[in-house]
Amino acid sequence: MKPSPGVGAGRPPAAEQVAPRARLGAAGVLVAILVFSSVLGAAVGTEGTAYDGWNNMLSDLGDPSCHVRGGRWICSPGAAAFNAGLVTTGGILLASALSLVVPWGRVLSGGVAIMGGGLVIAGVFPAGDDGAVHLAGVVLALVVPGLALLAASVRPETTWLSRGRVPRGVLAVVALLLCAESRLPQALLPRGAAELVIVASLVVALAWEALRVVGARER
């Protein structure tokens, strides 16, 4: 969808004016990111937690038992709180995405909603209890929003998304390439490090888009 033809070179496009509902949804995305970051920091900082960002997966923080899996030591006394944080984060993203359809379009807002649903699944079914279901939740939480961000860069649905296409696309490509690379038998990056870059890329992209909406003028 092309920008409005009446927009002058020095004036912000009409899409920079958003409804209060959209601003509330964008604020919800930022709150979800804050909740996730806080829960992650609390889990890593809990006494007795064995977490090495180079090798351990984030899912290891939600595993309720201490054991060795895949050659790495897993022990997270704060697993219950971490999983509750994933569910909370996912619920907030689900609710927020419904308010962002107008500025972000159905694909990107839908991707955020699916991301939220994936986090809920990952939190309800920790890696140590049901690995297959947990992995499905992780795929929904990481791969789907990456694809949605890429689609919103290649073929933006709204005038709003016509801005920032390059950085949005670069972050999406980084996340998706590392998602694919991490599944190779001989990955270049350890899976823990790759996952951190994937999550960081998605968080930065969504936080930037949310901040744009929050900072826009009310329509």
Side-chain angles (χ1 to χ4, degrees):
M1 187 172 181
K2 297 181 179 179
S4 172
V7 175
R11 295 165 52 195
E16 292 299 324
Q17 300 180 17
V18 298
R21 180 183 178 185
R23 295 180 69 183
L24 183 61
V29 171
L30 295 176
V31 170
I33 292 173
L34 179 60
V35 170
F36 174 77
S37 301
S38 300
V39 170
L40 174 60
V44 172
T46 299
E47 185 177 356
T49 299
Y51 178 77
D52 173 10
W54 191 250
N55 295 302
N56 283 98
M57 309 295 288
L58 292 176
S59 296
D60 294 344
L61 293 171
D63 195 325
S65 62
C66 296
H67 58 278
V68 176
R69 183 172 68 237
R72 61 188 188 275
W73 173 243
I74 297 171
C75 193
S76 179
F82 181 77
N83 290 325
L86 289 184
V87 173
T88 301
T89 301
I92 296 173
L93 287 176
L94 273 168
S96 301
L98 298 176
S99 301
L100 289 165
V101 176
V102 173
W104 286 7
R106 293 182 178 179
V107 172
L108 183 53
S109 59
V112 172
I114 293 174
M115 182 184 196
L119 288 174
V120 171
I121 293 173
V124 173
F125 300 97
D129 292 340
D130 197 328
V133 178
H134 179 83
L135 180 59
V138 171
V139 170
L140 293 176
L142 299 182
V143 177
V144 173
L147 290 172
L149 284 166
L150 182 59
S153 302
V154 175
R155 191 172 183 178
E157 286 184 272
T158 66
T159 306
W160 178 273
L161 294 177
S162 65
R163 300 187 64 187
R165 295 172 65 176
V166 173
R168 187 189 310 129
V170 169
L171 290 169
V173 168
V174 168
L176 292 172
L177 285 178
L178 286 177
C179 282
E181 189 267 349
S182 66
R183 307 315 302 174
L184 296 176
Q186 296 295 329
L188 298 177
L189 272 179
R191 290 184 177 179
E195 187 180 49
L196 287 178
V197 176
I198 293 167
V199 171
S201 298
L202 297 176
V203 166
V204 169
L206 293 178
W208 173 247
E209 293 298 336
L211 284 170
R212 285 180 57 208
V213 175
V214 170
R217 294 176 298 171
E218 286 192 14
R219 185 167 55 200

